[in-house]
Amino acid sequence: MTIIHQDDIVQSVQEALQFISYYHPLDFIQAVGRAWEKEQSPAARDALAQILMNSRMSAEGHRPVCQDTGMVVAFIEVGMGVRWSSELSLEEMIHEGVRRAYTDPDNTLRASMVSPPWGARRNTGDNTPAIVHTRIVPGNRIKIGLAAKGGGSENKAKFTVLNPSDNLVDWVLETVPGMGAGWCPPGMLGLGIGGSSEKAMLLAKEALMEPVNIHELLEKGPDSPLEELRLELFEKVNALGIGAQGLGGLTTVVDVKILDYPTHAASLPVALIPNCAATRHIEFTLDGSGPAEFTPPTPDDYPPVTWQASPDATRVNLDTITPEEVRNWQPGQRLLLTGHILTGRDAAHRRIQELLEKGHPLPQGVDFHNRFIYYVGPVDPVDGEVMGPAGPTTATRMDKFTEMMLGQLGLLGMIGKAERGPQAIESIRKHQATYLVAVGGAAYLVSKAIRKARVVAFEDLGMEAIYEFEVENMPVTVAVDSQGASVHQSGPAKWRITDNIESMGKTP
């Protein structure tokens, strides 16, 4: 009789979540290394190099690969022969492991969970609760799969119910470009086909737990219709030319994972969920002999790729910059920023909007005139750090505030990740401002450019407070210039391989 002890579950979950916060799955990072080797787009190649360099730095420093350390999703298989030695329920044990992992003083992880999900949306402070899915299966062991899923990729989840005669490949190829770059490609696509609406979504999420093995499949060839579908989607999604960070390039996905399930004869439910460049997941089994053990990779396991700022990058002094300088920048131009920037995300923008609507002044020290704002929710610093990992958040969430920031407050530029929508681009063009992108998935690397940091407003918002950062040589790329030209439109258009996409329609 197998007896599973409460402490073994809690400790295993805690250590697993810490482990995946700074160790990429090797199959994924090695796939990114292969993508870097063949990439021909200079912008995408630079982004891939930053992701690979960041991965190695995070592994060495035991700090998160991304500032968004995710919401925890657990897939648990409980053997029917298991006995328990626990005062907590299974879900409570998982929650306690999450709580301990995210409040570990040696590697504090960002708490992102809010409750209730509408209205006040108060941060729970310890990233609980987890999202737990449980199955009862034969056997006398507990198998646990954990994923730390970032909001940028989770927000791009898609679902539809096709007619049985509709073409599934067409739907995917029409859907992926509309997801933009907020999910931080390159990554993986999880596809759930069949079942019911909720079953399809669960299948897609669970598919992302599988290892990257598309190259092995390419070498041996498909043995089933599902494998044929994986290969077709892998080829055609990459032919879209979206590329790393949406800048245009040869690799948008490093694998496509599919799980299916029987469904109603009148339906074809399809769910699509992406995983980002900070892919984090792990599986372990408990058999009553103690907590799980995790073997870290060695330095030799990582692709031998380093990143250095391009010698062609333009050095920018943010403390003396003028609108005239900004008007000379071009889409795709690489910059190194030095000086002071303010930060702010959704909650801070809403506070600013409320103050302006009431005729109240902004807090002391918050002056956006001729300045840049960085869309970021950083990880708290540890061990003398100036700031923890501090990569960009998805800028499109701030589109509705762009006119206010540029028109009323005199903001000169914004820094984030992913594309901007038509409304924001028109405001940028109207005010001859700019939008810059940092690499999502390179948060630890970006944090090394931060020399000083202090909270200047809305401290109660935690990671969504307004900080002032002093940065030195922070790498960014011009995504939207002062005339409204966007690299997220021109880049993919340049690298799109139309011959591969025009052969759509083979797979039902």
Side-chain angles (χ1 to χ4, degrees):
M1 182 70 69
T2 298
I3 299 177
I4 301 295
H5 296 272
Q6 172 180 305
D7 289 346
D8 291 348
I9 293 272
V10 172
Q11 181 179 335
S12 298
V13 169
Q14 175 186 357
E15 292 180 358
L17 291 171
Q18 279 283 311
F19 188 90
I20 64 175
S21 76
Y22 43 75
Y23 290 130
H24 264 119
L26 276 179
D27 53 5
F28 174 79
I29 205 65
Q30 289 169 351
V32 175
R34 288 192 293 267
W36 176 85
E37 289 175 354
K38 72 174 187 179
E39 186 57 67
Q40 299 175 28
S41 162
R45 188 174 170 86
D46 183 80
L48 291 169
Q50 288 194 46
I51 291 168
L52 291 166
M53 184 74 173
N54 181 77
S55 181
R56 181 184 291 271
M57 290 172 62
S58 295
E60 293 171 348
H62 282 197
R63 292 295 274 145
V65 296
C66 181
Q67 80 288 339
D68 184 350
T69 48
M71 63 177 177
V72 177
V73 182
F75 294 96
I76 308 176
E77 293 184 354
V78 181
M80 292 163 58
V82 162
R83 295 285 300 275
W84 296 94
S85 174
S86 175
E87 298 176 354
L88 301 176
S89 71
L90 178 55
E91 284 202 10
E92 289 171 337
M93 286 185 266
I94 301 298
H95 299 332
E96 181 59 26
V98 172
R99 181 178 296 110
R100 294 185 189 183
Y102 278 73
T103 57
D104 188 324
D106 293 328
N107 181 39
T108 304
L109 306 180
R110 196 184 83 182
S112 298
M113 296 295 283
V114 296
S115 181
W118 53 274
R121 290 176 63 87
R122 296 184 182 89
N123 197 299
T124 64
D126 55 15
N127 217 50
T128 62
I131 313 299
V132 181
H133 305 285
T134 306
R135 281 198 293 261
I136 307 298
V137 300
N140 58 358
R141 288 172 168 77
I142 302 292
K143 182 179 178 181
I144 299 178
L146 296 174
K149 193 69 164 61
S153 60
E154 187 68 9
N155 289 350
K156 301 301 182 179
K158 304 295 181 183
F159 173 77
T160 190
V161 179
L162 299 176
N163 293 318
S165 61
D166 289 341
N167 188 284
L168 188 152
V169 172
D170 285 359
W171 178 80
V172 172
L173 296 181
E174 291 166 1
T175 301
V176 170
M179 289 161 46
W183 60 281
C184 281
M188 297 167 61
L189 292 183
L191 211 63
I193 306 172
S196 56
S197 57
E198 76 280 7
K199 181 66 173 179
M201 294 298 289
L202 188 59
L203 290 170
K205 182 65 67 65
E206 196 165 7
L208 292 171
M209 302 291 290
E210 297 183 356
V212 177
N213 61 2
I214 198 76
H215 286 277
E216 289 86 340
L217 181 57
L218 283 165
E219 290 176 4
K220 79 173 185 66
D223 294 327
S224 67
L226 208 60
E227 290 185 346
E228 291 177 1
L229 180 59
R230 282 183 61 199
L231 290 176
E232 182 177 2
L233 287 173
F234 176 74
E235 177 185 10
K236 291 180 177 178
V237 168
N238 283 325
L240 292 170
I242 296 167
Q245 304 294 299
L247 299 173
L250 301 178
T251 300
T252 302
V253 293
V254 297
D255 206 339
V256 176
K257 294 298 185 183
I258 305 174
L259 291 176
D260 64 358
Y261 197 86
T263 191
H264 192 284
S267 301
L268 181 56
V270 184
L272 190 156
I273 303 178
N275 243 358
C276 65
T279 292
R280 293 163 296 214
H281 61 84
I282 197 167
E283 291 186 341
F284 56 90
T285 299
L286 300 178
D287 60 7
S289 62
E293 296 182 0
F294 307 99
T295 303
T298 68
D300 292 340
D301 292 326
Y302 286 82
V305 178
T306 58
W307 175 85
Q308 291 183 335
S310 168
D312 298 330
T314 302
R315 297 181 182 273
V316 176
N317 186 335
L318 293 171
D319 297 330
T320 61
I321 193 167
T322 65
E324 288 74 24
E325 288 180 69
V326 169
R327 287 196 286 269
N328 288 325
W329 294 346
Q330 302 296 316
Q333 184 176 348
R334 279 171 275 184
L335 312 176
L336 294 172
L337 305 181
T338 297
H340 294 82
I341 54 178
L342 294 171
T343 75
R345 288 168 41 113
D346 315 54
H349 281 78
R350 283 194 297 270
R351 288 268 183 99
I352 292 169
Q353 185 180 56
E354 290 168 359
L355 289 173
L356 294 178
E357 288 174 348
K358 294 176 181 177
H360 295 166
L362 298 184
Q364 186 175 0
V366 180
D367 181 3
F368 292 103
H369 184 70
N370 272 3
R371 299 193 70 179
F372 280 69
I373 191 170
Y374 182 28
Y375 301 142
V376 62
V379 175
D380 290 338
V382 299
D383 294 334
E385 289 178 334
V386 173
M387 181 52 65
T393 197
T394 306
T396 44
R397 299 202 312 273
M398 269 58 73
D399 279 5
K400 61 185 176 182
F401 301 109
T402 302
E403 179 60 28
M404 173 188 75
M405 298 299 293
L406 299 181
Q408 294 181 247
L409 299 179
L411 190 70
L412 187 56
M414 301 153 282
I415 309 165
K417 71 171 185 179
E419 71 289 342
R420 305 307 296 266
Q423 179 184 9
I425 290 177
E426 174 55 26
S427 291
I428 292 169
R429 187 203 61 76
K430 174 182 174 183
H431 298 285
Q432 296 192 305
T434 190
Y435 167 58
L436 315 175
V437 290
V439 173
Y444 194 43
L445 175 65
V446 171
S447 73
K448 297 305 180 183
I450 303 172
R451 302 307 185 203
K452 295 181 181 179
R454 66 186 182 96
V455 176
V456 294
F458 311 146
E459 187 171 6
D460 62 297
L461 295 179
M463 61 96 173
E464 294 214 59
I466 295 180
Y467 289 80
E468 183 179 64
F469 288 168
E470 182 179 340
V471 300
E472 183 177 349
N473 293 331
M474 176 179 171
V476 296
T477 299
V478 179
V480 181
D481 71 5
S482 62
Q483 302 304 307
S486 171
V487 73
H488 287 107
Q489 296 172 2
S490 59
K494 177 180 178 180
W495 292 95
R496 184 180 174 95
I497 304 172
T498 55
D499 289 345
N500 288 20
I501 299 170
E502 286 170 357
S503 60
M504 286 166 34
K506 294 180 181 178
T507 305

